[in-house]
Amino acid sequence: MLMDFLERWLTPNISLMDFNDRAIVLRYAWHLSARMALVAWVLIVLLHLLFHALGLLPYSVWQGIVIGTVMGVPLTMALGVFTTHVVGRSIAALADARLEYLRQSRTDMLSGLPNRRAFTEALAADERGVLLLLDIDRFKQINDRYGHLAGDEVIVAVARALAGLAGDHHLVARIGGEEFAMFFRSMTIEEAKRAADKARQTVETRAISAGGQTIRVTISGGLAAIGPGRDYAAAYSAADKALYLAKGSGRNRIVDEGELTALAAANLPATESSAQAG
């Protein structure tokens, strides 16, 4: 009970991020040390009274309290400020390291975009919008012809183009290989298709310098809505089918899930996955 009270009373409210501010840490150190010094002074008084009552005090109780106050309280304050400040800075360093680890674990290191994990975590359960899955057309041929370093440059260039179009409001991520995902918040399928087609045209018209060569690439995409009663997994499956049909119907195009029925009636292979289609 006493320990719980002391813990609540000694420890001021402070968040982990506050330890990144040296001034806040110093104020915290002084605050904590002042309370520690008060507790130390109370203990000095109580111990002197106890020793006096037991006849173990070689000097008067008031002399002992004065000496203890003059020596103990400043020493407690000084040690408290020093140790709290050092510990605070150590906590700040650990917090920074943890944040950097979390950032790296959710970032695709090649493109600089969020990865699949970060993308799915960023989607709130009640968000409405449209999911777009994108794939760089014939990427394997790019690697085979220009080399893998050039292929990496292509991925980086496409990522930058998509990030510029997504801005701060919409989500974009590299979810694996030459595959990307975007989520258009609060958009209808029609609005998202126009935005996706703008992304497609931007990539198509961009000349990419890679490996001493100028490379032009195209992308294909599939769209599906996310909303009440339809989670990310269901939308992903529909968008992936739309992407596959975009690949099979000529590439360099955006297909929404509403077109699946019409396009599925054409003679398109039904066994090849979108990743294999290239």
Side-chain angles (χ1 to χ4, degrees), residues 25 46 49 67 75 93 138 160 258 260:
V25 172
L46 292 177
L49 291 174
I67 293 172
L75 182 60
R138 296 185 174 88
R160 287 174 180 168
L260 288 174

Side-chain angles (χ1 to χ4, degrees), residues 133 222-225 230 233-243 255-257 260:
L133 297 183
L223 291 162
R230 193 186 203 194
Y236 186 96
S237 178
D240 190 56
K241 291 177 182 177
L243 170 58
V255 172
D256 67 75
E257 58 182 330
L260 288 174

Side-chain angles (χ1 to χ4, degrees), residues 20-21 23 51 104 106 121 155 159 178 184 195 213 240 242 254:
N20 286 316
D21 189 318
F51 288 168
Q104 290 187 9
R106 288 163 172 77
E121 288 179 352
I155 287 174
E178 68 273 23
F184 298 106
Q213 304 283 337
D240 190 56
I254 306 295

Side-chain angles (χ1 to χ4, degrees), residues 21-39:
D21 189 318
R22 187 178 295 272
I24 292 177
V25 172
L26 191 57
R27 285 198 300 271
Y28 173 76
W30 277 107
H31 186 103
L32 179 59
S33 300
R35 294 194 174 195
M36 289 172 58
L38 179 58
V39 171

Side-chain angles (χ1 to χ4, degrees), residues 135-154:
D135 192 273
I136 301 174
D137 295 327
R138 296 185 174 88
F139 186 72
K140 184 178 183 303
Q141 296 179 17
I142 296 172
N143 278 335
D144 292 343
R145 181 176 179 182
Y146 300 103
H148 288 278
L149 290 178
D152 289 349
E153 291 293 331
V154 168

Side-chain angles (χ1 to χ4, degrees), residues 110-133:
L110 175 60
S111 66
L113 293 178
N115 57 20
R116 182 190 292 267
R117 175 184 178 183
F119 184 78
T120 54
E121 288 179 352
L123 286 173
D126 59 346
E127 278 198 293
R128 300 187 182 189
V130 179
L131 174 67
L132 168 66
L133 297 183

